[in-house]
Amino acid sequence: MTDVLPLAGFVIGITAARRADELGALLVRKGASVRYGPAIRIVPLTDDTELHVATTRLLESPVDAVVATTGIGFRGWLEAAEGWGLGDALLSRLSSASLLARGPKVTGAIRAAGLSEDYSPASESNAELLQHLLASGVAGMRIAVQLHGEPLPYFVDTLRAAGAEVIEISVYRWVGPVDPGPVDRLLDAVLEGSIHALPFTSAPAVASLIALARRTGRLPGLISALSGPVVAACVGPITAGPLAALGVPTVQPIRARIGALARTVAETLVARSPRLQAGGRSLELRGQAAIVDGEWCEVAPAPMALLRALAASPGRVVSRRELIAALPGGGEEHAVETAIGRLRTSLGGGRVVQTVVKRGYRLAVDA
């Protein structure tokens, strides 16, 4: 028996722009093949006029509280301000405000800048930050909320409804990719069934993929794929929002971390892998491969499609017509017979797949 990495045999699509390489490397180390199709791109901080305008507005008068949501975003904000010649002024303004940090990473960024936080929730949640602010009373206060990539409408609207003036500091803006080709091809691969999971790290990437699918008439197919064979994994509930609005189920790690997201993808795919005993052999189906008696077996796409069709109803006779429908691109009876022969060879021969004369084929499931 050989050691098989948990994601060996699976192909995973990545739509992220920021930290895409980091996520991809984590998945590859677990044995996955990775396809990249960035659904968004990041506007560089120093080129972002909206961030410059928001920063200038913040500096116009004292601010009572600053909510910092991400470490990389907070550091990037300070670096951009420095590039605009506003670094010292921004640090001075922040030092006189009450700083609230969502979690340990942004706490570290605040301290690295020579500042100190006044509050950081143990849960690392924006909801707890909001409750802390509301409990202290925000009427008449001037509050800056540092965002990162996606808006927090409930957060800022609740503060405004409670009487606060809120300045939204949008650090990094997302726009569509310069070259939509890779994400367009990735979407096709999802619909064709050659992608087994899509991990998402931001709501804008999800929204961009959905918009592309809607524009090109592929949204029903995307919803069907993500609701069935393809695992939709999101780093957190905000990222999952656009999918939840379409009724698409998602899996999420307990902690909103890239590493935890990669583990969740691996655990979910392994848990969904069909396992059965047939022809005296132990079989586990892994994406585009199979593990037979603990040994790794490469299986070509057409034979793998038939193996999945047979494993969907273990022991049942599957007709040639059904198997033709399962073949990528369809075909005829001869194509089924050829693919079955190749499948038997890939599985090491034996009696795993049985021919039932004039009826079709079945997996010889052990009692």
Side-chain angles (χ1 to χ4, degrees), residues 303-317:
M304 192 69 203
L306 298 193
L307 178 57
R308 287 198 171 279
L310 294 170
S313 303
R316 180 178 76 85
V317 178

Side-chain angles (χ1 to χ4, degrees), residues 148-238:
H148 187 74
E150 54 246 8
L152 294 173
Y154 175 75
F155 194 101
V156 298
D157 290 348
T158 302
L159 290 177
R160 284 172 178 150
E165 176 193 352
V166 180
I167 304 170
E168 296 178 69
I169 307 293
S170 184
V171 181
Y172 294 118
R173 279 191 301 117
W174 311 104
V175 293
V178 174
D179 177 10
V183 68
D184 189 69
R185 291 189 289 272
L186 179 61
L187 177 55
D188 275 342
V190 170
L191 302 187
E192 291 164 2
S194 57
I195 299 293
H196 305 108
L198 282 178
F200 295 101
T201 59
S202 73
V206 180
S208 180
L209 183 67
I210 290 172
L212 171 63
R214 181 178 283 114
R215 285 195 308 272
T216 55
R218 289 177 284 179
L219 184 58
L222 177 63
I223 293 173
S224 177
L226 295 181
S227 299
V230 182
V231 173
C234 296
V235 74
I238 293 176

Side-chain angles (χ1 to χ4, degrees), residues 120-146:
S120 182
S123 65
E124 302 180 31
S125 72
N126 289 323
E128 193 170 343
L129 271 179
L130 178 59
Q131 288 305 314
H132 175 80
L133 278 168
L134 295 175
S136 63
V138 297
M141 291 179 62
R142 194 166 189 255
I143 300 172
V145 180
Q146 173 251 310

Side-chain angles (χ1 to χ4, degrees), residues 13 21 34 36 143 162 183 211 228 275 282 321 336 344:
D21 291 341
V34 173
Y36 295 92
I143 300 172
V183 68
R275 296 172 177 79
S282 171
R321 178 172 296 180
V336 169
R344 286 173 170 149

